[in-house]
Amino acid sequence: MKKTFFAFGLTACLCASSAFAVSAGTVAMDSVSRGSAAYMTSGTTSSTANRGYQGLANAYTTNQRNTYYMVTQPDVDSACRTKIYNCLAEYCGDVTVVPGQRTGRCQYATESELYNYALLCLQKDTSVLLPQYNTNTKTSAGGLNTAARLCPPYVQQEVMSYLAMANMADELSKSHSDLCLQRRQELTAAMACHSVALAYGNETTSMLTTQLTDACGAGVPGGSAEMVTRFANAGNVGANVWGWAEKILNLDMNQKGEDWQMAVDSVLASYTNRMNLACGDDLQLNTASVSTSNSSQPSTLQTVAALATGVAFPTAAPNVENPYEGQSLYMEVKTMSNVYDYATAQQLVQAAMSNSAVAQNDFFTTAQLSDMQTAYVRGTKVFIVRDSARCFIVPVQTMTTQETNLIAQAFSSCISK
């Protein structure tokens, strides 16, 4: 019996020794060094399939992958910008400074036209927008991770951005064109003739023509005989039948009519506008000339008629001296928000004239309102309202025909009604 217990005990010892007889330098599966991921998270030791520091290694790999996608992969806004730009470039051509890139379908394209096309283009785009998130949406209903689903809210701002880039590219290509350089030379010659015409306007026709020919004649870069003729004839009284009668009675073939300086300004404004259209610039004639004629004096026709009939024509009331006679005919104001139509621009100007300068306004600052009201009191007749892309001509007082023509030529690209 004792031998039987001894044999059983020896066998148990051998079995226990074999159970713990693992290879040198190794530990059991449930050891802390084996299950470090579970121990680090819960503070307890448990059996895990992640041997050693495999759990920590997996977390590090996931973090590195997320960081890579965050740095190298686009977000929704950037990815949609690329999609929408590709749609617009397919429809209009890429935005470059090479002349003729958009002279086909989109030369006169409107914002609504481009907006509608971009939406239709995105509607057909069911490709994956963000590849790094595709694993979570493969089984989702409705295609959540597609350009058609995510990009329509970005169309409006991208269309405006595309139009702005196209406009800048057009202006850059225009400013380097041969026609623009020609118009710049023409305007330089016209400005020289403008100064000469104002200085020698009351001289004889031959002297005025000679001076103008030297300043902007055919031999001057940008000058021409047509330019000399236009400045020489600006403001001539003989433009109508009564003017010819005045010339005949006075025997003065060089007489200039009332406000002839403004007529000379009008000729220069036409050349300024030609240069603006060719170069895409916004150069403007700063101020209009002020008439120096005295309308209270009777004309020659009135004097002759009074001698023939014996009845004198009443003279006009003497003009009250205007301390602001040098006030500009127009004033330009820049709005803080976009103005999309003429009716809105007109309402803004009317409100600026009637409301207090410190009233809350989303379009004009307090300083602008104060300057507009001061200019109106001093005699400014027109306000040029500009936003980021448009301009509107809003008159606030009745203008003469010459003033109307001057504003129309100087701001021909603006909306007048």
Side-chain angles (χ1 to χ4, degrees), residues 85 88-89 91-111 114 157-175 279-280 388-389:
Y85 183 85
L88 295 175
Y91 186 66
C92 299
D94 197 5
V95 174
T96 65
V97 295
V98 179
Q101 287 292 325
R102 293 170 305 281
T103 56
R105 181 179 298 172
C106 289
Q107 184 176 8
Y108 300 105
T110 61
E111 179 183 338
L114 298 181
Q157 68 182 37
E158 294 309 320
V159 167
M160 296 300 296
S161 175
Y162 181 87
L163 288 174
M165 289 189 297
N167 184 50
M168 288 186 291
D170 285 338
E171 290 182 357
L172 187 58
S173 61
K174 280 183 178 180
S175 64
C279 301
S388 60

Side-chain angles (χ1 to χ4, degrees), residues 63-398:
N63 181 68
Q64 289 293 97
R65 183 170 60 249
N66 292 340
T67 303
Y68 168 79
Y69 282 129
M70 225 180 344
V71 173
T72 61
Q73 298 296 319
D75 56 341
V76 175
D77 179 71
S78 300
C80 286
R81 180 181 294 113
T82 303
K83 293 281 186 180
I84 297 170
Y85 183 85
N86 290 338
C87 287
L88 295 175
E90 176 187 1
Y91 186 66
C92 299
D94 197 5
V95 174
T96 65
V97 295
V98 179
Q101 287 292 325
R102 293 170 305 281
T103 56
R105 181 179 298 172
C106 289
Q107 184 176 8
Y108 300 105
T110 61
E111 179 183 338
S112 60
E113 177 185 348
L114 298 181
Y115 179 78
N116 293 334
Y117 179 81
L119 284 179
L120 292 174
C121 179
L122 289 177
Q123 187 179 18
K124 299 180 295 183
D125 192 349
T126 56
S127 60
V128 174
L129 183 65
L130 302 177
Q132 65 270 31
Y133 299 119
N134 193 41
T135 54
N136 297 329
T137 57
K138 275 185 176 180
T139 58
S140 301
L144 298 178
N145 189 12
T146 61
R149 183 67 178 267
L150 298 177
C151 293
Y154 299 93
V155 171
Q156 182 69 31
Q157 68 182 37
E158 294 309 320
V159 167
M160 296 300 296
S161 175
Y162 181 87
L163 288 174
M165 289 189 297
N167 184 50
M168 288 186 291
D170 285 338
E171 290 182 357
L172 187 58
S173 61
K174 280 183 178 180
S175 64
H176 290 81
S177 65
D178 295 335
L179 180 61
C180 175
L181 298 179
Q182 177 184 345
R183 291 289 186 260
R184 289 186 189 278
Q185 284 187 337
E186 184 181 66
L187 179 60
T188 302
M191 293 176 70
C193 264
H194 176 264
S195 301
V196 170
L198 292 178
Y200 294 89
N202 290 321
E203 301 292 338
T204 61
T205 302
S206 60
M207 183 175 184
L208 175 60
T209 303
T210 300
Q211 296 292 335
L212 290 174
T213 303
D214 293 339
C216 61
V220 179
S224 63
E226 177 191 0
M227 185 181 296
V228 172
T229 303
R230 292 187 64 185
F231 277 104
N233 294 334
N236 276 350
V237 173
N240 53 58
V241 63
W242 299 113
W244 282 113
E246 289 273 0
K247 284 190 173 186
I248 293 172
L249 292 172
N250 284 310
L251 297 178
D252 184 3
M253 296 295 105
N254 307 303
Q255 185 180 0
K256 296 290 185 180
E258 185 180 355
D259 293 334
W260 65 270
Q261 297 99 328
M262 192 169 291
V264 175
D265 285 347
S266 179
V267 175
L268 179 60
S270 66
Y271 286 104
T272 304
N273 187 48
R274 281 160 61 94
M275 191 277 296
N276 287 337
L277 292 176
C279 301
D281 290 343
D282 194 22
L283 184 64
Q284 299 153 15
L285 193 62
N286 191 18
T287 57
S289 297
V290 180
S291 173
T292 57
S293 62
N294 187 1
S295 59
S296 65
Q297 298 297 326
S299 66
T300 304
L301 287 177
Q302 289 176 333
T303 303
V304 172
L307 292 175
T309 60
V311 178
F313 280 76
T315 59
N319 292 332
V320 179
E321 183 179 358
N322 181 12
Y324 307 115
E325 64 179 2
Q327 178 68 22
S328 177
L329 175 64
Y330 64 89
M331 177 181 179
E332 293 189 57
V333 287
K334 178 78 173 180
T335 62
M336 295 182 293
S337 303
N338 285 331
V339 181
Y340 295 100
D341 51 54
Y342 182 81
T344 304
Q346 194 173 30
Q347 291 176 1
L348 289 176
V349 173
Q350 292 174 353
M353 296 297 100
S354 58
N355 294 340
S356 172
V358 296
Q360 185 70 25
N361 196 309
D362 294 334
F363 293 88
F364 297 126
T365 64
T366 301
Q368 285 178 314
L369 292 175
S370 179
D371 292 342
M372 291 172 67
Q373 293 174 3
T374 302
Y376 174 73
V377 171
R378 293 183 175 182
T380 295
K381 297 183 177 182
V382 182
F383 288 98
I384 309 299
V385 180
R386 293 184 179 274
D387 62 6
S388 60
R390 308 164 190 84
C391 62
F392 304 91
I393 302 175
V394 183
V396 291
Q397 297 186 41
T398 304

Side-chain angles (χ1 to χ4, degrees), residues 26-37 39 45 50-53:
T26 60
V27 293
M29 285 295 295
D30 58 350
S31 175
V32 172
S33 60
R34 290 280 186 189
S36 58
Y39 178 79
T45 59
N50 296 329
R51 302 188 60 188
Y53 289 91

